[in-house]
Amino acid sequence: MNSLIPLLVAAPLAGAALLLLGGRALDRFGHWIATALAALSCAFGLVLFFDMLGRDTEHRAVTERLFSWIPVGGFRADVSFQLDQLSIVFVLLITGVGTLIHLYSVGYMAHDERRRRFFAYLNLFLAAMLILVLADNYLLLYVGWEGVGLASYLLIGFWQHKPSAATAAKKAFIVNRVGDMGLSIAIMLMFAEFGSFAFRPVFSAAGDASEGKLTAIALMLLLAACGKSAQVPLQSWLGDAMEGPTPVSALIHAATMVTAGVYLITRSASIFNLAPDAQTAVVVVGAVTLLFGAIVGCAKDDIKKALAGSTMSQIGYMIMAAGLGPIGYAFAIMHLVTHGFFKAGLFLGAGSVMHGMNDEVNMRHYGGLRKYMPWTFATFMAGYLAIIGFPFLSGFFSKDKIIEAALAKGGTEGWILGTCALVGAAVTAFYMTRVVLLTFFGEKRWQPDAEGHRPHPHESPRTMVIPMVVLTFGSLFAGGLFSLGDSFLHFLEPVTGHEEGHAPLSAFAVSAIATVCMAAGVGLAWLKYGRKPVPVQAPRGSLLTRAARRDLLQDDFNHAVLVRPGSALAATLVFFDSKGLDGFVNGLAAAIGGLSGRLRRIQTGYVRTYALSMFGGTLVLVASTLLMRSV
Amino acid sequence: MSPIHALAAAGGNSPSIPAPHVEYGQLSPMLVVFGAALVGILAEAFLPRRLRAATQLGISLAGLVGGFVAVVVLAAQGHATTRAGLLAMGSVAIDGPALFLQGVILLTAVLAVLTYAEGRLEPRINGHRIDAFAAQAAAVPGGEQERTATREGLRTTEIYPLTLFAVGGMLLFPASNDLLTMFVALEVLSLPLYLMCALARRRRLLSQEAAVKYFLLGAFASAFFLFGTALLYGYAGTVRLGEIADVVAGTAPVTPALAVTTQNDALLLIGLAMLAVGLLFKVGAVPFHSWTPDVYQGAPTPVSGFMAAATKTAAFGAMLRLFYVAFPGLRWDWRPVMWGVAILTMVVGSILAVTQQDVKRLLAYSSVAHAGFILTGLIATDRRGVAAVLFYLLAYSFVTLGAFAVVTLVRDSKGEATHLSNWAGLGRRSPLLAAVFALFLLAFAGIPLTSGFTGKFAVFQAAAGGGATPLVIVGVLSSAIAAFFYIRVIVLMFFSDPQPAGPAVAVPSALTATTIAFGVLVTLGLGLLPQYFLDLASKASLFIR
């Protein structure tokens, strides 16, 4: 049965290779091959899942070693997969949502002439993401980490004829490099400290290492997580990443890849648990980001960018939960999974709206669409209710648990975190209600597109609707199902560990307060956007609104603090390079050329000169041979 | 009693000369080639003119391929390793290095002969295909006789038997186990080469000048070699390499007649130095290199390629045998001197190449620099050094042959356009040819994934292992200088605008194409998968004494 594990990765990888190398012959049906292979991978995942459920708790984690990758002296890296409870959750999420989004893309990308390439990249992403979550050592994880980065880059820039898409792809790639450096440094530190970077030896030896070293490793891992999961201070790329086709935003920049940071921290629990300072850093990053993203989400008129702010904020919840230690890991993953469902559903809904509205993204140009797109409206509403934490839907269960865990941290810290989480919940309700009101309710504010075509909103084709409907089930019921008898918690406990937190408030009180916050957010949004007509042109807005529209000035900050000094440094280096180094190199070249010109004169063309030089050479040779003996 | 009288008396005691015992089987590679050469002369004498070119090509290829097959069979029978031995009364050694180098020389010669027969490059005259060689070698350049011969479409088909004789000498050169045999081999390989250099169809004066220079300087160098032989005989009382080593080591009984001179180390050292001069001349080491650019430029290009590849291989083979079999005991004397020669050769060769404007002269200086690189392997004085040199020679031969074959294809109305300015922008008009030439240049420069890198790595590794690290540093620095002028040609070909009335690239027949293709194949093969050939060279690296 374990031999299925490599096939999980191999199926989409083969699809990517086939589609990229297959050429135009596959243009007509290549996308179905990719979808079938994604579904096959998903089927393997399900088989492995049920096989795992059939075993005792102690025997659920299995390892499948494929081959020795880099055996050099004491350095050893294997291509080896580890399937445990944590990985299988990710496998099912990745392949399940992945398959649905492949199916959705069949409809969404139907008229794109580079469709085959798009599906090849999607398959490549699946393979890389599966390697990331299945690796049993950090080096192989790094391969997957870079692989998803590559796929993300290729897909954000898929419409590279648009300069904005090309720039966004580059931005995502470069910002991610900063995080990737963190991961590679963490791996090097691990190897220096433990002599290995496989999970098992590192985690078992972590107890013997000094706290300082563990904190260093953990902070580097946090840096990596910040890059991939768009957390402050490396968050700036996610909003621009919405330049990619919407299915990409749904799969990579909402449901799966951006949650890799949460996976990394949860997987490295053994290290973080022993480095409390690093955990504090994780919590701070998570709390700051959850508010940051929520505020940005409130101000955006671009539907996808509003959802991107929301993604950032929701991942902030997860990171914060992961930073809380054993009381939070399982809830972080639980929120990750439910978020995967409802956020993917919301993005697919947004894509469906854009599909019907001539690719318009400005919500101020929507309005009253609920009658024209009933399926899209219904599924979007399910996702909306789930994300704001409407009682007894998915988001309600998972978010409440995180708020509880934050309060359970205890002391002032617990109160601060809990308050942040509750404020975040209220703001979430506000901006999501705003999105729904602007899009589906109110007056029609439709505008003709650049070529003067008036939009004719219509429901999307069946290949797009079916995935949205399937995801709706997840948005509605996954949270309840997971919470039923704490089944999800007990399933993950052997990997992540669990401690029951002691919140100063009862679970019921927390739920009640959260629901009140949510209701307040909804009400405020209704007052602002539901009761009175929405202007087509965005009003000037308050200082905070204007800052939030500019992503809270993140790019201005990066430009002033990083780009400008970087350019100055580069200019200085260029100066020294061209004046100093090049001067030396060119001088050397000129000297050799000059010497060559001098030496050439010896080559007179006269035999007598040649004979003389031979004779002289012989004399020197004989003399020096004799001399060698006498010395 | 004077030594002379003693010698006469000793000779008087053995009245009959014993018939030499000759192992024809093991000598078959050389015998086949010499036999083919004789058949070629007969064909030249008796066949009608129009049949000669094709027949000569057939004879040559038969002889050379036959010789190669014989080498392979001998190697397969173990004559390179366990059954290696001294033949023909001890004057010839058939062992690993000898068979390896004979194989290389024969393969090189096969490909060179293919380029000789190329008839598509020159325009036809009266419907006759003509080649790169003079219509009638004896005709005065520019004279009436030459014009008549050209008009009639004559060809100098003697080039084929001449080449076979030269190849025969080259086969014997690295296999000769005594100084006299070595000298005879040297002359047998040199004399035909002097003639071949004079045979260019175009620019005949330059060609003849090159031949005369080569002959005069070659004779000068041979004289040194012969003088050195005499001095060594005076010292050791023998010309056998192994026996000289015994005398040097003091393990051999001293011939009473030579008791006086045997004690005289000056004879030994001067003799050694003079032998070295003779051989260093042939490989083109500085300061005995001055003939190389003039001769390579003047000689017909196919002959230049053959000389650059095969002569160097044979001469380095002889040099290896001389130093490793006869003078291992003197390595503390000759190593420092050879250090100096190697450094001078690498540095001067590389620096002089920087300002060359003619592609053939550029290749000539490049061959000088390469002689220096090979010398560093020789200086290692162990089996790894031998193996490295053998591999280097194999790699270098094919690159050189291929590069000169490419040079024959770039032509304008006056023949080959060898001035570098004519090569500007070649990559735009003939991307394939320019890419092939670029590959050869990269191999010369020793860029990884080409045979040149593997070869250079092997010799430098051997030299460093033999304690010659400073030499390796100089070698690497010279390689850097050398890389400049190789890459400069690549830049010229691919990144310069073509000249408006630049040369055209002639489309060759399958003959030259085969040579170039083989060159590319070997260059890439030895760069990508060198292990088999490194092992082969390593297995063949033991000299028999």
Side-chain angles (χ1 to χ4, degrees):
Chain A
M1 191 57 70
N2 294 347
S3 51
L4 273 185
I5 301 173
L7 291 180
L8 269 176
V9 179
L13 198 61
L18 186 69
L19 261 61
L20 284 177
L21 301 175
R24 265 180 233 139
L26 297 175
D27 270 351
R28 261 180 338 107
F29 54 92
H31 49 291
W32 286 115
I33 298 178
T35 311
L37 284 168
L40 183 68
S41 189
C42 184
F44 289 149
L46 283 171
V47 170
L48 285 164
F49 174 62
F50 287 113
D51 182 57
M52 178 185 279
L53 286 185
R55 289 194 299 265
D56 305 337
T57 313
E58 298 86 64
H59 299 111
R60 283 190 174 168
V62 289
T63 307
E64 174 78 1
R65 188 172 160 278
L66 268 189
F67 55 88
S68 188
W69 177 23
I70 314 174
V72 185
F75 180 94
R76 217 184 105 117
D78 289 344
V79 171
S80 175
F81 294 126
Q82 170 185 325
L83 187 75
D84 59 7
Q85 289 90 331
L86 183 60
S87 343
I88 195 81
V89 169
F90 273 86
V91 166
L92 291 178
L93 178 72
I94 295 161
T95 56
V97 176
T99 306
L100 290 175
I101 286 175
H102 271 75
L103 187 63
Y104 179 89
S105 306
V106 170
Y108 193 83
M109 301 297 283
H111 304 298
D112 197 295
E113 58 190 23
R114 288 160 76 237
R115 179 174 58 181
R116 176 172 54 86
R117 191 180 290 258
F118 179 80
F119 277 87
Y121 294 159
L122 276 190
N123 263 1
L124 178 69
F125 168 76
L126 283 191
M129 189 75 201
L130 287 168
I131 290 175
L132 198 168
V133 298
L134 284 170
D136 91 329
N137 61 68
Y138 281 98
L139 201 66
L140 188 59
L141 180 144
Y142 191 67
V143 172
W145 191 269
E146 292 294 313
V148 293
L150 170 69
S152 159
Y153 166 79
L154 291 171
L155 286 165
I156 295 171
F158 185 72
W159 287 320
Q160 75 248 67
H161 53 85
K162 287 197 292 183
S164 57
T167 313
K170 235 186 290 177
K171 185 174 178 185
F173 198 80
I174 291 168
V175 175
N176 264 294
R177 295 314 301 164
V178 180
D180 297 348
M181 277 312 293
L183 184 52
S184 64
I185 291 172
I187 294 174
M188 291 175 212
L189 288 174
M190 268 175 221
F191 190 71
E193 180 64 22
F194 306 115
S196 170
F197 34 65
F199 292 154
R200 208 170 302 231
V202 168
F203 297 156
S204 59
D208 305 329
S210 72
E211 194 185 315
K213 282 184 179 144
L214 288 172
T215 307
I217 294 174
L219 285 177
M220 285 298 123
L221 290 173
L222 173 63
L223 182 65
C226 284
K228 198 61 86 194
S229 294
Q231 299 296 294
V232 176
L234 297 179
Q235 81 291 3
S236 64
W237 63 273
L238 187 63
D240 298 85
M242 298 300 124
E243 287 289 342
T246 307
V248 172
S249 311
L251 176 62
I252 300 183
H253 304 120
T256 55
M257 184 192 84
V258 285
T259 58
V262 183
Y263 171 79
L264 185 68
I265 293 176
T266 311
R267 176 58 83 190
S268 313
S270 307
I271 295 173
F272 279 93
N273 290 346
L274 296 170
D277 292 342
Q279 279 187 312
T280 309
V282 175
V283 170
V284 169
V285 164
V288 168
T289 311
L290 87 84
L291 292 175
F292 187 105
I295 293 170
V296 169
C298 294
K300 290 286 180 186
D301 288 333
D302 178 327
I303 185 169
K304 284 178 72 182
K305 291 200 170 166
L307 290 177
S310 155
T311 302
M312 212 184 276
S313 161
Q314 297 299 314
I315 296 171
Y317 275 105
M318 300 170 209
I319 294 275
M320 186 179 82
L324 294 173
I327 53 174
Y329 290 127
F331 301 132
I333 300 299
M334 182 165 141
H335 191 56
L336 190 154
V337 174
T338 56
H339 173 257
F341 289 129
F342 56 68
K343 187 51 70 60
L346 287 171
F347 263 108
L348 294 190
S352 177
V353 169
M354 286 160 58
H355 196 70
M357 292 289 288
N358 294 351
D359 287 328
E360 176 65 74
V361 290
N362 189 345
M363 292 186 288
R364 290 184 187 275
H365 297 173
Y366 291 165
L369 289 175
R370 67 180 182 282
K371 287 179 219 137
Y372 300 88
M373 304 179 175
W375 283 102
T376 305
F377 172 64
T379 54
F380 200 92
M381 281 310 285
Y384 158 70
L385 292 173
I387 193 173
I388 64 172
F390 193 82
F392 310 114
L393 298 186
S394 284
F396 171 77
F397 291 104
S398 53
K399 202 183 286 176
D400 269 15
K401 292 285 185 194
I402 293 179
I403 298 170
E404 262 180 66
L407 287 167
K409 179 83 178 167
T412 333
E413 214 181 327
W415 282 112
I416 295 174
L417 293 176
T419 312
C420 283
L422 284 168
V423 171
V427 182
T428 304
F430 174 80
Y431 68 72
M432 281 313 300
T433 310
R434 174 175 176 266
V435 167
V436 167
L437 289 176
L438 286 182
T439 305
F440 292 104
F441 295 91
E443 300 293 311
K444 296 177 193 168
R445 300 177 302 274
W446 309 345
Q447 306 288 321
D449 66 7
E451 283 131 38
H453 301 299
R454 295 203 69 82
H456 298 285
H458 53 84
E459 190 52 270
S460 296
R462 206 168 298 162
T463 47
M464 289 168 67
V465 171
I466 292 172
M468 298 195 303
V469 172
V470 175
L471 285 171
T472 300
F473 285 99
S475 309
L476 295 177
F477 308 120
L481 210 64
F482 292 163
S483 301
L484 213 61
D486 284 340
S487 57
F488 194 76
L489 185 64
H490 293 310
F491 180 69
L492 275 185
E493 200 175 340
V495 184
T496 59
H498 184 68
E499 278 173 27
E500 205 51 55
H502 298 288
L505 300 170
S506 71
F508 178 78
V510 170
S511 297
I513 297 173
T515 309
V516 169
C517 288
M518 182 265 287
V522 172
L524 202 63
W526 186 77
L527 285 178
K528 209 162 150 43
Y529 300 101
R531 218 173 43 153
K532 53 190 180 193
V534 179
V536 174
Q537 283 301 321
R540 191 173 140 78
S542 68
L543 198 64
L544 180 66
T545 312
R546 275 178 282 152
R549 281 189 193 136
R550 295 187 63 128
D551 302 306
L552 292 179
L553 307 180
Q554 59 186 12
D555 288 337
D556 308 72
F557 177 82
N558 286 349
H559 193 78
V561 175
L562 300 171
V563 177
R564 238 183 273 141
S567 309
L569 182 66
T572 319
L573 287 178
V574 166
F575 177 79
F576 281 113
D577 185 60
S578 54
K579 298 290 164 185
L581 284 176
D582 283 5
F584 172 71
V585 171
N586 291 339
L588 193 67
I592 288 176
L595 189 60
S596 179
R598 294 274 162 83
L599 279 176
R600 259 179 94 172
R601 296 201 196 135
I602 304 171
Q603 195 78 15
T604 55
Y606 294 119
V607 177
R608 53 176 187 261
T609 324
Y610 296 174
L612 187 65
S613 77
M614 278 176 64
F615 186 71
T618 311
L619 281 185
V620 174
L621 209 67
V622 168
S624 50
T625 314
L626 288 174
L627 210 66
M628 281 304 140
R629 175 56 67 94
S630 61
V631 174
Chain B
M1 197 163 60
S2 74
I4 304 292
H5 287 130
L7 269 177
N13 287 343
S14 50
S16 62
I17 299 172
H21 175 67
V22 178
E23 296 82 348
Y24 293 103
Q26 278 119 291
L27 296 175
S28 55
M30 287 169 264
L31 297 177
V32 169
V33 171
F34 280 127
L38 293 174
V39 174
I41 288 183
L42 291 177
E44 200 60 34
F46 293 109
L47 279 182
R49 227 180 249 287
R50 63 194 161 78
L51 293 181
R52 279 184 210 161
T55 316
Q56 289 288 15
L57 177 63
I59 294 168
S60 297
L61 286 180
L64 294 169
V65 172
F68 184 71
V69 170
V71 166
V72 172
V73 169
L74 286 177
Q77 288 171 346
H79 288 286
T81 49
T82 48
R83 292 170 67 191
L86 300 180
L87 318 169
M89 314 290 286
S91 58
V92 175
I94 290 298
D95 52 14
L99 282 175
F100 188 93
L101 293 176
Q102 287 184 343
V104 174
I105 292 167
L106 284 163
L107 274 183
T108 317
V110 168
L111 296 183
V113 162
L114 291 180
T115 60
Y116 288 1
E118 177 61 57
R120 291 264 177 92
L121 303 179
E122 295 278 354
R124 289 184 185 220
I125 296 179
N126 285 341
H128 297 287
R129 286 236 157 105
I130 51 171
D131 52 24
F133 304 106
Q136 195 170 11
V140 178
E144 181 57 38
Q145 203 185 354
E146 186 193 45
R147 272 196 289 280
T148 317
T150 310
R151 232 184 354 258
E152 287 174 14
L154 302 187
R155 297 164 76 167
T156 308
T157 40
E158 288 89 346
I159 190 83
Y160 295 97
L162 284 172
T163 303
L164 288 177
F165 280 120
V167 170
M170 289 170 183
L171 296 181
L172 182 58
F173 204 27
S176 38
N177 193 47
D178 70 42
L179 293 174
L180 280 178
T181 310
M182 199 175 267
F183 178 71
V184 171
L186 174 64
E187 290 305 303
V188 170
L189 81 89
S190 300
L191 292 172
L193 283 179
Y194 301 147
L195 277 177
M196 286 152 69
C197 286
L199 291 183
R201 178 176 287 270
R202 309 245 189 186
R203 300 192 192 92
R204 287 192 62 203
L205 281 175
L206 195 66
S207 170
Q208 294 189 347
E209 183 190 327
V212 171
K213 278 182 189 167
Y214 193 19
F215 170 65
L216 287 174
L217 296 172
F220 195 38
S222 296
F224 280 117
F225 188 91
L226 199 55
F227 203 174
T229 307
L231 290 176
L232 272 172
Y233 182 76
Y235 170 81
T238 175
V239 289
R240 292 276 145 77
L241 301 183
E243 291 170 16
I244 292 174
D246 290 341
V247 175
V248 170
T251 53
V254 177
T255 314
L258 295 173
V260 183
T261 53
T262 304
Q263 307 305 323
N264 190 345
D265 277 354
L267 283 185
L268 171 67
L269 295 175
I270 298 174
L272 165 64
M274 288 189 159
L275 287 178
V277 168
L279 293 171
L280 289 172
F281 172 84
K282 274 289 156 203
V283 302
V286 178
F288 314 103
H289 69 289
S290 28
W291 60 277
T292 336
D294 293 9
V295 172
Y296 281 18
Q297 187 187 16
T301 307
V303 172
S304 303
F306 171 65
M307 272 197 304
T311 312
K312 192 159 282 188
T313 307
F316 265 112
M319 202 187 287
L320 278 175
R321 188 173 296 282
L322 188 69
F323 283 119
Y324 282 62
V325 176
F327 302 119
L330 283 180
R331 61 171 169 276
W332 302 114
D333 295 293
W334 62 258
R335 268 183 67 164
V337 180
M338 293 307 274
W339 266 58
V341 174
I343 289 176
L344 213 56
T345 307
M346 291 188 285
V347 172
V348 171
S350 302
I351 289 184
L352 270 175
V354 167
T355 43
Q356 297 308 314
Q357 296 301 326
D358 183 280
V359 68
K360 282 169 84 177
R361 287 184 85 84
L362 179 84
L363 290 177
Y365 280 111
S366 136
S367 97
V368 171
H370 280 281
F373 297 137
I374 302 176
L375 277 175
T376 61
L378 182 111
I379 289 168
T381 56
D382 57 10
R383 274 191 74 172
R384 281 193 304 163
V386 179
V389 170
L390 294 182
F391 183 87
Y392 202 114
L393 290 169
L394 169 69
Y396 175 75
S397 295
F398 288 94
V399 182
T400 306
L401 211 54
F404 275 102
V406 171
V407 171
T408 63
L409 301 183
V410 181
R411 312 176 72 90
D412 57 19
S413 57
K414 284 176 275 172
E416 289 161 8
T418 54
H419 198 272
L420 272 179
S421 62
N422 290 325
W423 288 58
L426 194 69
R428 307 238 181 113
R429 271 180 291 157
S430 309
L432 180 65
L433 188 85
V436 166
F437 197 62
L439 172 71
F440 291 141
L441 290 172
L442 290 176
F444 278 135
I447 305 295
L449 305 185
T450 63
S451 60
F453 171 76
T454 324
K456 219 175 245 182
F457 187 81
V459 289
F460 285 166
Q461 191 186 28
T469 311
L471 202 57
V472 174
I473 294 172
V474 174
V476 171
L477 290 178
S478 317
S479 303
I481 300 176
F484 165 74
F485 58 79
Y486 295 128
I487 308 262
R488 189 177 63 134
V489 177
I490 297 180
V491 170
L492 193 68
M493 287 194 300
F494 286 97
F495 302 106
S496 304
D497 290 321
Q499 287 189 328
V505 169
V507 178
S509 66
L511 296 164
T512 306
T514 307
T515 305
I516 296 176
F518 214 83
V520 170
L521 204 69
V522 174
T523 304
L524 287 177
L526 295 189
L528 296 172
L529 301 165
Q531 200 53 50
Y532 173 78
F533 293 94
L534 283 172
D535 290 345
L536 197 68
S538 170
K539 256 187 271 175
S541 61
L542 197 61
F543 283 102
I544 188 90
R545 284 194 53 192

